[in-house]
Amino acid sequence: MEAVSSLFRMVKVFLTVCSFYLKLGFIHLARWYEPALRTKGKYNHSIVVLGDDHALGVGGYSTLTAGSGIASKLAKELAKEAAIRQSWQIYNRGEYKTSTEDWLLPADSKRKDKPELLSKVIQDPKYLRAEIVIIMLGSQDVLKRDPTLTPQDTLRNIELICQALRRTGNNSKSIYLCTIPTAGDDTFLTEEQRADNLTRNRLIQDYVKKNEEGVLAGLEIDLASNFEMKRRNLYWQDGRHFSDIGYGKIAKDWIPIIRPDMVKREFLLFRSDLGL
């Protein structure tokens, strides 16, 4: 009987792992299907969501044509907004298990194998034209062993990423920086690691408050800053990644933050086209 139970547990674990990687495969493929907000307007704008698992949409529902993460959910929510009258393309540039170090420009990285993710983004014209950039990074930094990333390293990397984005592409772009999700930290991290994540979020919040480089406060999606994120149904079965419900909530919470920015940009484009 013990052998049967053990075999059953092994099969269950195997199927769970297979399901996860199949789901991850769909998410990666769905990322290339970028849903656009279609309206009656002829003017086009774009938003880029870049970052780690949470930007990619790990834990959420996805098909090959449904898109993934908040990029997909945000497009659906914006389609309901009467104040948004032009077309917005929302690109998902999340990358699985990436740290802030993985998103540095090669010149800013101390690693021997230089990262290329940010270089590829800022070299691609469709991302380069983006008027709004949403950054969801930092959740993997606490897990890095080689090199170990301290909270101060995380902030410095984020600063360098924001500076690189500010120097390239649309000069008037808005950069929004989210706090680091901390759901599951009590289960998966040591006391020291949990303290480091709290410090990371405090440093991020202080950084956007100073607004010295034009980086704006995005959503606070950590448990300490936002009590609404404590609902269990917002998270996938691992307790760390957001569920489809979670990504839906995040997308809805983004609307009041970026709606004024989007409306302003639509008006400026319309006004410029009329020669006013």
Side-chain angles (χ1 to χ4, degrees):
M1 192 66 181
E2 181 65 28
V4 173
S5 297
S6 178
L7 179 62
F8 178 76
R9 285 195 297 270
M10 289 176 61
V11 171
K12 185 177 179 180
V13 170
F14 174 75
L15 292 176
T16 300
V17 172
C18 288
S19 174
F20 172 76
Y21 282 103
L22 181 62
K23 188 184 186 81
L24 186 61
F26 271 111
I27 289 173
H28 272 286
L29 290 173
R31 187 181 64 178
W32 301 109
Y33 175 80
E34 309 291 359
L37 170 61
R38 298 299 179 188
T39 68
K40 296 179 180 178
K42 63 178 181 179
Y43 304 103
N44 298 304
H45 308 263
S46 59
I47 297 172
V48 172
V49 182
L50 64 81
D52 52 32
D53 304 23
H54 299 98
L56 178 59
V58 174
Y61 173 78
S62 180
T63 66
L64 293 181
T65 58
S68 63
I70 69 162
S72 174
K73 300 292 186 184
L74 190 55
K76 294 176 181 177
E77 290 301 321
L78 289 172
K80 304 172 187 176
E81 289 293 310
I84 306 300
R85 298 178 177 274
Q86 298 174 15
S87 179
W88 287 81
Q89 187 81 29
I90 306 177
Y91 296 107
N92 183 340
R93 289 303 306 160
E95 295 287 346
Y96 184 54
K97 283 190 173 181
T98 51
S99 68
T100 54
E101 178 75 22
D102 295 320
W103 279 92
L104 291 176
L105 288 178
D108 294 327
S109 176
K110 298 178 181 178
R111 293 187 340 200
K112 291 182 179 179
D113 54 325
K114 300 299 183 181
E116 298 180 349
L117 294 175
L118 187 58
S119 295
K120 291 179 179 179
V121 169
I122 63 179
Q123 289 170 5
D124 191 316
K126 67 181 180 181
Y127 304 135
L128 201 59
R129 291 191 294 267
E131 296 168 69
I132 296 175
V133 179
I134 294 173
I135 300 177
M136 300 176 71
L137 260 176
S139 65
Q140 293 294 321
D141 285 23
V142 72
L143 304 175
K144 285 292 179 181
R145 296 290 181 272
D146 185 22
T148 299
L149 295 175
T150 66
Q152 289 71 29
D153 291 331
T154 296
L155 179 64
R156 181 54 181 158
N157 289 344
I158 287 174
E159 289 176 341
L160 290 170
I161 292 165
C162 292
Q163 289 168 9
L165 290 169
R166 178 63 64 204
R167 291 194 303 267
T168 56
N170 192 319
N171 292 330
S172 65
K173 73 167 69 69
S174 298
I175 301 174
Y176 292 90
L177 179 61
C178 299
T179 58
I180 300 168
T182 53
D185 282 8
D186 289 347
T187 303
F188 296 99
L189 303 183
T190 66
E191 184 177 350
E192 182 180 0
Q193 289 174 323
R194 294 197 297 271
D196 281 347
N197 264 356
L198 289 174
T199 301
R200 284 184 174 90
N201 278 329
R202 179 177 55 78
L203 292 173
I204 287 173
Q205 289 166 329
D206 290 344
Y207 173 59
V208 295
K209 283 179 183 177
K210 292 177 183 177
N211 197 26
E212 293 177 350
E213 296 170 351
V215 180
L216 304 170
L219 287 180
E220 293 184 334
I221 47 179
D222 61 294
L223 300 182
S225 303
N226 188 347
F227 72 92
E228 292 185 1
M229 302 310 298
K230 295 181 179 181
R231 286 164 37 197
R232 181 63 187 88
N233 68 339
L234 297 181
Y235 301 95
W236 190 50
Q237 60 190 27
D238 65 355
R240 288 185 63 81
H241 295 99
F242 296 110
S243 64
D244 208 52
I245 295 174
Y247 287 115
K249 172 180 167 46
I250 290 172
K252 289 178 181 178
D253 290 348
W254 266 112
I255 299 300
I257 294 178
I258 63 172
R259 185 198 295 115
D261 196 347
M262 296 173 72
V263 170
K264 177 182 176 182
R265 292 177 183 280
E266 288 188 354
F267 176 73
L268 287 175
L269 184 57
F270 179 69
R271 181 178 177 182
S272 174
D273 195 50
L274 293 177
L276 300 177

